[in-house]
Amino acid sequence: MTYDPNNIFAKILRGEIPNNTVYEDDHVLCFDDITPQMPVHCLIIPKGQYLSLTDFSATASDDEIIAFHRAIAKIIKIKGLSDDGYRAICNTDIDGGQEVPHFHMHILGGELCPKMIVR
Ligand code: 5GP
């Protein structure tokens, strides 16, 4: 699968679609999810063109991977989730139910997350 530069997050990165930015640096953008599933629900994305967590983990530069992980800690603090915690989810590919083909991590919190469905 090749990266589709017309996916919705690519359009957000180009400024073609507005977003409620939580955090931004040279490598990372974080914005609120348009249909929040929890009181806090934001999405962290790399600015580089990566399809999925697998693609990002395998092919992103060390700088990009470090920046992404450092950003998580900053975003948790910005969103006030440091004390009570949160859930981080990366839906991946078909079986993971990934809808937008640009790697993203969901951060969910602000109340107790429902129990995971284990199958
Ligand atoms: P996935 O199912 O790919 O893991 O999650 C994609 C997420 O992107 C969904 O939670 C969906 O609500 C969110 N989303 C889709 N389109 C937009 C948009 O235009 N703006 C924002 N902020 N979020 C979006």
Side-chain angles (χ1 to χ4, degrees):
M1 190 172 170
T2 54
Y3 183 85
D4 173 11
N6 288 317
N7 77 74
I8 202 91
F9 293 169
K11 291 180 179 177
I12 285 176
L13 284 169
R14 289 196 296 269
E16 295 167 10
I17 294 175
N19 74 91
N20 185 10
T21 299
V22 173
Y23 172 85
E24 183 170 14
D25 63 29
D26 288 348
H27 294 297
V28 179
L29 179 67
C30 175
F31 51 90
D32 289 321
D33 197 290
I34 202 167
T35 53
Q37 306 295 309
M38 296 276 292
V40 174
H41 185 178
C42 58
L43 302 167
I44 311 175
I45 68 172
K47 290 187 172 178
Q49 298 187 340
Y50 301 101
L51 286 163
S52 67
L53 173 62
T54 314
D55 184 26
F56 183 72
S57 301
T59 66
S61 69
D62 290 355
D63 282 353
E64 289 172 303
I65 291 172
I66 291 168
F68 191 89
H69 281 270
R70 296 290 189 211
I72 295 170
K74 294 172 187 168
I75 291 156
I76 296 313
K77 193 170 180 185
I78 290 167
K79 285 296 192 181
L81 302 176
S82 302
D83 290 341
D84 290 339
Y86 60 93
R87 181 171 291 162
I89 296 175
C90 300
N91 298 322
T92 304
D93 298 334
I94 295 169
D95 282 358
Q98 182 177 356
E99 292 180 358
V100 179
H102 180 114
F103 169 48
H104 52 282
M105 176 181 284
H106 296 254
I107 299 292
L108 300 144
E111 65 183 25
L112 183 62
C113 291
K115 286 286 183 192
M116 293 290 289
I117 299 169
V118 179
R119 55 181 180 169

